[in-house]
Amino acid sequence: MPTNNENQVLIYDTSAFIGGMDPQAIHIPQWTTPENLEEIRNKNTREILQMAIKTGRIKLRSPSEPFIKKVIEETKKTGDYSKLSEIDIKVLALALEFQSENWHPIIMTDDYSIQNVASSLKIDYKSVSESGIRTQLRWKVYCPGCGADYPIDTKFKKCDICGTKLKRKSY
Ligand SMILES: [Zn+2]
């Protein structure tokens, strides 16, 4: 995936996060809608997204009404209207709004109807499962005191070398 275009932004659909997208690994502006954050029920996925928002990697923005209307019109033309939720429509509308501001948005989605409407609106999209940038979080247990590593299933709560409370982190 290209990372050298200054006009490029990624717009996330919920399926992108469920598909294993890791926003921390991407260094171009990334956006999603507040409704998308609400929709995510999976605890790990939610934590990844909340962390990305906290660190400023992902920003939240709601599309404005004219773009929502335009997307709805388009979904009726393509026959996708009944297959898309209000949240899906807002993702498309957000991308359309960025496009009108001369950004080159790419919607990250595995949803076929979103992809279909995106191409009808001449907005690029990428399927997360095909993008090669999905990652799986791996965890390790370590001692913040002396740096010793422990197996992920360790029974120890404290370091048996220095007595510091053990921590978990993803890598
Ligand atoms: Zn230790």
Side-chain angles (χ1 to χ4, degrees), residues 143 145-148 159 161-164:
C143 168
C146 70
C159 179
I161 302 162
C162 73
T164 307

Side-chain angles (χ1 to χ4, degrees), residues 126-149:
K126 225 167 173 93
S127 162
V128 176
S129 46
E130 287 163 15
S131 66
I133 46 177
R134 74 205 222 123
T135 53
Q136 274 190 314
L137 274 187
R138 288 190 292 180
W139 292 90
K140 69 188 234 174
V141 176
Y142 73 104
C143 168
C146 70
D149 284 329

